[in-house]
Amino acid sequence: MSGLVGARTCSGPGEASDLKYPLGTRLREPLTEAGFQQLFGDAEKEQELRTEPRWSGLRLWRRPARACSRPGAWRLLMTRLPLLRWLPRYRWRAWLLGDAVAGVTVGVVHVPQGMAFALLTSVPPVFGLYTSFFPVLIYSLLGTGRHLSTGTFAVLSLMTGSAVERLVPEPLTRNLSGIEKEQLDAQRVGAAAAVAFGSGALMLGMFMLQLGVLSTFLSEPVVKALTSGAALHVLVSQLPSLLGLSLPRQIGCFSLFKTLAAVLTSLPRSSPAELTISAISLALLVPIKELNVRFRDRLPTPIPGEVVMVLLASVLCFTSSLDTRYNVQIVGLLPGGFPQPLLPSLAELPRILADSMPIALVTFAVSASLASMYADKYSYTIDPNQELLAHGVSNLISSLFSCFPNSASLATTSLLVDAGGNTQLAGLFSCIVVLSVLLWLGPFFYYLPKAVLACINISSMRQMFFQMQELPQLWHISRVDFAVWMVTWLAVVTLNVDLGLAVGVVFSMMMVVCRTQRVQCLELGLAEGTELYRPLKESRKVGFDQRSYPTPLYFGTLGKFRRILEWHLRLGEGSKESPKPDGLPDTVAEPVRVVILDFSGVTFADAAGAREVAQLVSRCRDVGVHLLLAQCNASVLETLARAGVLDRVTPQQLFVSVQDAAAHALDRLELTGPKICTVWI
């Protein structure tokens, strides 16, 4: 810091003043907030205006409407239609082959997986193909995730299926004629489409309010525990199909245990033919999945185990007449073409709002986290608010074509990356594969056993089950995150996916609040041979006290803040209003003449916290303690000013750093003695 205006040289070694400045350094005069604003205030305001977030609350509406001009309209179109940005810069020779191979590979997997997840949603299999076509096409135009694969997702299918079963329950008789079965399927398709419409509308509303930041409230432990617990629900829900049992689907709390009890009770009625098909399918699918993971670097493209299993099972069922001889349930006829666009019944929207909200949150959280992960890996950026728009429009428009809720899929996204996908163009190749099935190849899946689709559902959960392998490492890194993971997982498994998500979010927020209340208020001292103030563990007699309080000062933390300072500054000594806080020593150091509060860790202060600081200033003045505040950020200063704190302190009591406040205390107040303070934990 030598060379600054007003700098001076400290006294030589052995002199009293040498205690103030280590190693005989040259220091500038202590800089107060008022002095800092005089020197740098205008430049700082200009910098704040330049770096102000685009989504910033009230100022969002004060920005000039630049989109009224032709260049502004073009910029807006480029922002909201990312295809116009990446397509002109597309590297045709380098990327086209990879996108084509990856798109076809993912499209081939979409066909059996879409039909399987449709059964999980309690709708006919063909609607899974629709959901594997329209959302993928829309996201390719509007999404910013270059490596993201959208479509059917097991967790959303499970959540939607629970809502559909609740809205359109199956009659207790279960002996429906062909016409009655078609009517029931039509009602369930309408309910699933209404849930997709509601979740899409909610995401569009979140986009208009620029609420992409909400994805941060679903922490990584919550999302992983949610998907892992939902995978167990998927496994148990598919047991009746594996065993050839016709059982009503259990919904609500404890549905997993109810399904297990019903399956165990009905085991004597299981179908040996479907049980054999399921065993053979799993024996083929699981090893192929493992081979694809272990040898992903050596294989030119992943082995399409699902397609191989679908073809083998269809041929076996057709040649052996398993559907007629052993009553094996098959997919049946897949209607060709597309359904007529139909607006979901708006009368159902109030009933499905409670189901649409968690589905919208899970859709955005899973998709945004996947997109961010691959964006970081391949060095590009995504726009969370644009992702809200893409998935909102995708669900809203696809619901008009009888699609159920969709999002990014963990398995197909990993498959797309492993197969060499580079951009959103891979999604268009995937759509071509699904389109060919819808238009021409549908009849070939007539004899496909539904037990094979159940096996595909279970095998696709492999990644989610293996997330539990991260628990030992999570325990080693953070016990709090481990607790959040376990509480969320237990809530999802014990209750259901919707309630488990709510419990996980609330519990993780409670952990954040509890951690702010258990913060350690540290006493600072000058590290030997430096000008830096750090928490120290030794106890020496000093003439001033330096406190760092690294947590927001709000109604939940001000009680501990008050007790700590009352104990150490002996405010209200001799009365009952200053009991010893837990964990502090029974004795305190000699009375201090100056206290420095380091507010660098106070990110915000509410009205109660600001009033507490105002009372602290008055009480310190009454007992003759000089209070200095250091490193208050702009928002905290503004709150303190509104609470009247700045009316009770002089500009010479506000400093830009702890070093400046300590230098002021030593110079202006003529304090002497070692500058090492007490720390307690």
Side-chain angles (χ1 to χ4, degrees):
M1 295 183 185
S2 60
L4 295 176
V5 176
R8 65 199 185 283
T9 305
C10 300
S11 304
E15 300 181 14
S17 60
D18 185 55
L19 292 170
K20 303 176 185 177
Y21 308 106
L23 305 180
T25 53
R26 292 171 58 86
L27 298 176
R28 55 172 167 76
E29 292 292 337
L31 191 58
T32 62
E33 284 284 350
F36 183 84
Q37 290 298 330
Q38 274 188 336
L39 293 174
F40 310 107
D42 295 337
E44 186 183 48
K45 289 180 181 178
E46 291 177 3
Q47 180 66 18
E48 286 181 0
L49 290 175
R50 286 197 298 268
T51 60
E52 180 182 340
R54 296 176 64 87
W55 46 266
S56 179
L58 296 176
R59 294 184 176 90
L60 176 68
W61 305 101
R62 298 177 184 173
R63 286 185 296 158
R66 293 171 293 178
C68 295
S69 63
R70 181 176 297 179
W74 177 249
R75 283 195 299 269
L76 179 63
L77 185 62
M78 293 273 287
T79 302
R80 298 304 168 217
L81 196 61
L83 175 73
L84 299 177
R85 295 202 307 269
W86 61 261
L87 189 58
R89 298 195 296 267
Y90 189 83
R91 303 176 186 175
W92 294 96
R93 292 186 178 180
W95 291 347
L96 182 59
L97 181 60
D99 282 341
V101 172
V104 171
T105 304
V106 171
V108 168
V109 173
H110 267 316
V111 174
Q113 203 170 80
M115 292 190 291
F117 290 164
L119 295 182
L120 197 60
T121 316
S122 299
V123 297
V126 69
F127 293 94
L129 297 180
Y130 300 151
T131 309
S132 300
F133 176 79
F134 290 104
V136 178
L137 180 63
I138 295 170
Y139 185 83
S140 298
L141 303 177
L142 299 177
T144 59
R146 287 167 39 190
H147 298 84
L148 209 62
S149 174
T150 58
T152 56
F153 182 39
V155 176
L156 292 186
S157 297
L158 181 70
M159 297 172 70
T160 307
S162 299
V164 169
E165 292 281 348
R166 179 177 56 82
L167 295 171
V168 188
E170 188 171 352
L172 296 177
T173 59
R174 298 183 61 81
N175 294 322
L176 304 178
S177 64
I179 297 178
E180 291 174 336
K181 185 70 167 71
E182 289 180 2
Q183 291 175 348
L184 179 66
D185 288 342
Q187 292 177 357
R188 289 185 166 181
V189 168
V195 173
F197 185 91
S199 60
L202 287 172
M203 282 187 280
L204 284 181
M206 293 165 63
F207 162 73
M208 294 178 65
L209 296 174
Q210 302 288 281
L211 295 180
V213 69
L214 286 180
S215 63
T216 58
F217 288 98
L218 289 177
S219 63
E220 182 179 342
V222 171
V223 173
K224 289 190 174 182
L226 173 73
T227 53
S228 183
L232 190 57
H233 275 277
V234 172
L235 171 63
V236 173
S237 69
Q238 297 304 293
L239 289 179
S241 298
L242 293 179
L243 301 173
L245 298 173
S246 181
L247 298 176
R249 184 167 178 170
Q250 303 292 336
I251 59 174
C253 296
F254 311 108
S255 59
L256 185 143
F257 304 104
K258 295 177 183 177
T259 303
L260 277 177
V263 168
L264 292 175
T265 305
S266 305
L267 270 180
R269 296 188 287 108
S270 59
S271 169
E274 298 199 61
L275 182 59
T276 303
I277 293 173
S278 302
I280 295 174
S281 300
L282 288 175
L284 179 66
L285 289 172
V286 173
I288 289 179
K289 291 274 187 183
E290 192 66 27
L291 287 174
N292 286 335
V293 172
R294 294 201 176 195
F295 300 100
R296 65 174 62 185
D297 296 332
R298 302 181 186 179
L299 293 172
T301 182
I303 303 172
E306 292 90 347
V307 178
V308 173
M309 193 64 245
V310 165
L311 294 176
L312 290 178
S314 299
V315 171
L316 177 64
C317 185
F318 173 72
T319 56
S320 305
S321 301
L322 297 179
D323 56 324
T324 56
R325 294 173 60 185
Y326 300 102
N327 199 27
V328 172
Q329 300 180 40
I330 59 175
V331 169
L333 181 64
L334 295 180
F338 297 105
Q340 292 291 330
L342 180 65
L343 183 68
S345 176
L346 298 180
E348 296 289 338
L349 290 182
R351 298 176 60 196
I352 56 91
L353 187 60
D355 301 296
S356 298
M357 177 60 77
I359 287 176
L361 290 177
V362 171
T363 297
F364 178 55
V366 172
S367 302
S369 61
L370 268 178
S372 299
M373 181 176 68
Y374 284 102
D376 293 340
K377 183 177 180 180
Y378 291 98
S379 303
Y380 63 91
T381 59
I382 65 163
D383 183 356
N385 288 312
Q386 180 64 23
E387 289 295 298
L388 270 176
L389 175 65
H391 290 288
V393 172
S394 174
N395 278 272
L396 195 68
I397 294 181
S398 62
S399 69
L400 305 181
F401 295 92
S402 303
C403 297
F404 49 85
N406 57 87
S407 74
S409 171
L410 302 174
T412 54
T413 297
S414 176
L415 180 63
L416 184 142
V417 174
D418 293 340
N422 298 291
T423 66
Q424 296 92 322
L425 192 63
L428 300 181
F429 287 102
S430 174
C431 290
I432 293 174
V433 175
V434 179
L435 180 63
S436 64
V437 174
L438 286 171
L439 296 181
W440 303 294
L441 303 179
F444 291 97
F445 298 95
Y446 183 92
Y447 289 98
L448 176 61
K450 290 185 178 180
V452 175
L453 297 180
C455 294
I456 292 174
N457 276 332
I458 293 173
S459 64
S460 65
M461 298 292 103
R462 176 189 177 280
Q463 259 183 309
M464 300 183 192
F465 283 126
F466 282 4
Q467 289 179 145
M468 301 188 73
Q469 294 179 340
E470 302 175 6
L471 285 178
Q473 183 184 12
L474 191 62
W475 171 267
H476 178 72
I477 296 174
S478 173
R479 307 289 173 86
V480 173
D481 285 346
F482 179 86
V484 170
W485 202 105
M486 291 303 302
V487 168
T488 305
W489 187 85
L490 289 174
V492 170
V493 171
T494 306
L495 303 176
N496 57 38
V497 179
D498 299 353
L499 290 178
L501 173 63
V503 169
V505 171
V506 171
F507 186 77
S508 63
M509 293 295 101
M510 288 175 56
M511 289 296 99
V512 172
V513 174
C514 291
R515 293 172 86 171
T516 62
Q517 293 179 328
R518 295 176 60 86
V519 70
Q520 302 170 354
C521 183
L522 302 176
E523 190 166 358
L524 306 179
L526 188 62
E528 184 178 357
T530 72
E531 300 174 25
L532 304 178
Y533 286 82
R534 293 287 185 265
L536 300 179
K537 294 184 179 180
E538 299 179 4
S539 177
R540 305 281 181 87
K541 292 183 179 181
V542 295
F544 65 93
D545 197 13
Q546 302 173 78
R547 295 279 158 192
S548 176
Y549 196 68
T551 187
L553 188 59
Y554 66 106
F555 65 92
T557 59
L558 64 88
K560 186 172 183 179
F561 176 77
R562 181 192 307 123
R563 291 193 299 272
I564 289 171
L565 292 180
E566 282 179 348
W567 177 257
H568 278 271
L569 302 181
R570 297 187 177 183
L571 300 177
E573 186 176 3
S575 66
K576 295 182 180 180
E577 62 177 347
S578 59
K580 181 180 77 69
D582 295 336
L584 296 186
D586 294 329
T587 60
V588 297
E590 65 181 27
V592 297
R593 294 168 53 189
V594 180
V595 60
I596 301 172
L597 291 183
D598 177 12
F599 271 27
S600 60
V602 180
T603 54
F604 72 89
D606 66 356
R611 284 194 292 266
E612 184 64 33
V613 176
Q615 294 176 9
L616 176 65
V617 172
S618 300
R619 296 177 69 182
C620 286
R621 185 174 59 241
D622 294 342
V623 297
V625 175
H626 194 60
L627 178 66
L628 305 178
L629 303 180
Q631 293 185 247
C632 295
N633 64 47
S635 65
V636 173
L637 273 178
E638 184 178 359
T639 305
L640 296 180
R642 292 174 179 174
V645 175
L646 301 189
D647 297 334
R648 308 184 187 189
V649 299
T650 64
Q652 285 71 35
Q653 291 177 259
L654 300 174
F655 293 87
V656 297
S657 69
V658 175
Q659 289 87 345
D660 290 307
H664 169 81
L666 291 167
D667 284 345
R668 304 299 173 84
L669 302 177
E670 298 180 352
L671 295 174
T672 60
K675 292 175 292 183
I676 299 178
C677 306
T678 305
V679 65
W680 41 265
I681 298 177

